[in-house]
Amino acid sequence: MKYYIIAGEASGDLHGSNLMKALYKGDPKADIRFWGGDLMKHVGGTLVKHYRELAFMGFAEVVLNLRTILNNIKICKADIEQFKPDVIIFIDYPGFNMRIAKWAKLNGIKTHYYIAPQIWAWNESRIKEVKRDFDKLFVILPFEKDFFEVKHNFPVDFVGHPLIDAIHNRKKSDGDAFRKENNLDEKPIIAILPGSRKQEISKMLSVMLSIVSDFPDYQFVIAGAPSQDYLFYEQFLTTNNVKFVSNKTYDLLSIASAALVTSGTATLETALFKVPEVVCYKGSWASYQIAKRIVTLKYISLVNLIMDEEVVTELIQDKFNKKNIKKELSKILDDKHRKALLLKYDILETKLGGIGASEKTAKLILNDIK
């Protein structure tokens, strides 16, 4: 069978790579062509475009790069027409993927969406497009099944969260060896996860590091994204108490005492590693003003959304400042607060459905197209 997969971000590359492994297991002769990243490329298939060329963050940034985005859509459609896949598998990245899906459905191509668009967060009226343009929807958050099936009468499959697979299946490193390899000392570690895009890193990292001198008994370690070079981060490394590791976020989280995390998939990853965290986010003024009027959720972090309560503190926009970061980081370093938080993390993991999301999804895809 021929599979065309579109993943436009680092998290999509991770989940796409695990899905590809499961597809190859169920269909050893699978022919896979994809938009993604290095992790998917390592599994096999043919990479068409890297997600580094696709990542634009925020409403204002999308408008400024509209010509590039439209050209990428044109390239994608032409490539699909030439490849003639049995199914297109869309992974998250809704702004791009839903446009391609509409066209694909009109052209009689089977459409499957893995990691469904979060229309429950920002534009519920798009349920009409989801129903019209997708043959199958695989959801990874427990509350999404009720949202689609009960509220909107659209059958979906809850497959569990693929992050549990990614963490469970990773090659585990030795903590002492990791410290030695990356010139880390014996002080407890506070991990800094500033995001994966240059735009968000530039907005987040300096503020995150502003409190380093207030915690001399800890060492701060930046988790560099695989999509960015060290030279970009170097401008932020202004003190000896800040270290840097690239593309080793999971190894870092496995030995971290606490973390400051930019809102996104990383907030859930950090929780699944049982690391107390403070969630941070600041966008451009224009993007924030637009988002504030569209998004009606109580929380921005996946941890709080899944638990439907404020398990982790969120410092958003104006609340994201040195004073608040210092206060909240001190709180999660306190033993009593940490223990209560870790109990909540255990409940969170249970709600996410356990291991096997990639295998379940691949099996459902194979059963449908065969």
Side-chain angles (χ1 to χ4, degrees):
M1 294 290 185
K2 299 171 77 173
Y3 308 83
Y4 200 97
I5 304 175
I6 306 174
E9 297 170 304
S11 59
D13 181 37
L14 171 64
H15 303 321
S17 67
N18 287 325
L19 178 63
M20 286 171 65
K21 291 173 187 175
L23 286 172
Y24 279 127
K25 186 177 179 180
D27 182 5
K29 295 183 179 180
D31 185 2
I32 302 177
R33 194 168 176 86
F34 62 92
W35 294 46
D38 297 336
L39 295 175
M40 295 172 74
K41 185 178 179 181
H42 183 71
V43 175
T46 303
L47 174 65
V48 180
K49 262 189 181 290
H50 199 287
Y51 67 78
R52 279 194 297 261
E53 301 176 57
L54 311 174
F56 301 107
M57 181 186 68
F59 298 98
E61 290 79 9
V62 167
V63 171
L64 290 172
N65 292 281
L66 190 57
R67 180 177 293 182
T68 300
I69 294 168
L70 292 174
N71 188 52
N72 283 334
I73 290 172
K74 183 179 179 181
I75 291 169
C76 186
K77 289 178 180 177
D79 195 58
I80 291 169
E81 281 185 324
Q82 185 175 10
F83 184 59
K84 294 181 173 57
D86 294 292
V87 62
I88 303 176
I89 304 166
F90 303 91
I91 301 180
D92 204 0
Y93 199 50
F96 186 91
N97 276 337
M98 290 185 74
R99 286 175 172 83
I100 298 296
K102 180 180 179 181
W103 167 85
K105 189 69 174 177
L106 288 171
N107 283 272
I109 305 171
K110 193 174 284 290
T111 54
H112 288 186
Y113 212 144
Y114 179 41
I115 308 179
Q118 296 177 351
I119 60 173
W120 42 265
W122 48 273
N123 194 346
E124 193 168 337
S125 64
R126 298 197 77 177
I127 185 64
K128 296 176 183 176
E129 297 170 51
V130 172
K131 286 183 171 183
R132 181 191 67 202
D133 298 334
F134 295 100
D135 297 302
K136 288 281 185 178
L137 207 61
F138 309 112
V139 301
I140 63 172
L141 300 174
F143 60 81
E144 289 181 316
K145 189 169 179 66
D146 279 348
F147 173 82
F148 285 106
E149 291 193 343
V150 178
K151 190 171 184 180
H152 292 292
N153 194 32
F154 184 64
V156 301
D157 292 288
F158 172 61
V159 295
H161 205 293
L163 274 181
I164 297 177
D165 287 351
I167 292 170
H168 183 267
N169 296 331
R170 74 185 181 92
K171 184 179 179 181
K172 295 176 177 62
S173 66
D174 176 81
D176 291 336
F178 178 75
R179 285 176 183 267
K180 186 175 181 180
E181 289 167 9
N182 294 280
N183 299 312
L184 306 179
D185 57 40
E186 293 304 312
K187 288 181 181 179
I189 290 170
I190 295 174
I192 305 292
L193 281 62
S196 60
R197 304 179 181 98
K198 284 185 177 179
Q199 294 155 308
E200 62 186 350
I201 295 167
S202 297
K203 286 185 180 295
M204 305 298 299
L205 191 49
S206 293
V207 185
M208 285 175 156
L209 295 176
S210 66
I211 46 84
V212 169
S213 61
D214 295 303
F215 296 87
D217 296 331
Y218 294 84
Q219 59 183 321
F220 290 74
V221 185
I222 299 168
S227 56
Q228 306 299 338
D229 296 324
Y230 170 74
L231 289 175
F232 175 70
Y233 292 94
E234 195 172 24
Q235 62 189 300
F236 304 103
L237 303 176
T238 58
T239 173
N240 290 332
N241 202 30
V242 178
K243 303 293 178 63
F244 176 86
V245 298
S246 180
N247 197 22
K248 296 177 182 176
T249 301
Y250 283 7
D251 291 334
L252 177 60
L253 287 174
S254 70
I255 59 171
S257 296
L260 301 178
V261 187
T262 296
S263 179
T265 304
T267 64
L268 189 55
E269 290 174 308
T270 303
L272 290 173
F273 271 95
K274 308 302 166 64
V275 179
E277 65 182 303
V278 179
V279 176
C280 309
Y281 185 76
K282 186 170 187 177
S284 69
W285 183 87
S287 293
Y288 178 69
Q289 293 302 319
I290 295 170
K292 192 167 65 171
R293 288 159 175 77
I294 294 175
V295 179
T296 57
L297 299 175
K298 290 187 290 184
Y299 310 109
I300 65 167
S301 71
L302 285 170
V303 176
N304 292 344
L305 284 168
I306 294 165
M307 294 293 287
D308 195 26
E309 62 175 296
E310 190 177 23
V311 173
V312 295
T313 298
E314 300 178 350
L315 300 179
I316 307 169
Q317 212 67 7
D318 293 339
K319 290 183 179 179
F320 175 59
N321 56 53
K322 179 178 179 179
K323 178 183 176 182
N324 287 336
I325 295 172
K326 180 181 176 181
K327 174 187 172 184
E328 296 302 331
L329 182 55
S330 298
K331 191 184 294 183
I332 63 173
L333 290 171
D334 175 75
D335 282 343
K336 184 178 179 181
H337 188 90
R338 288 171 64 84
K339 288 177 181 177
L341 186 55
L342 294 178
L343 287 173
K344 293 287 187 180
Y345 281 174
D346 288 340
I347 297 170
L348 170 75
E349 186 168 359
T350 301
K351 284 191 171 199
L352 288 173
I355 63 173
S358 304
E359 286 75 14
K360 290 173 193 172
T361 305
K363 186 175 180 180
L364 288 166
I365 292 170
L366 289 167
N367 286 343
D368 185 65
I369 64 175
K370 287 181 178 179

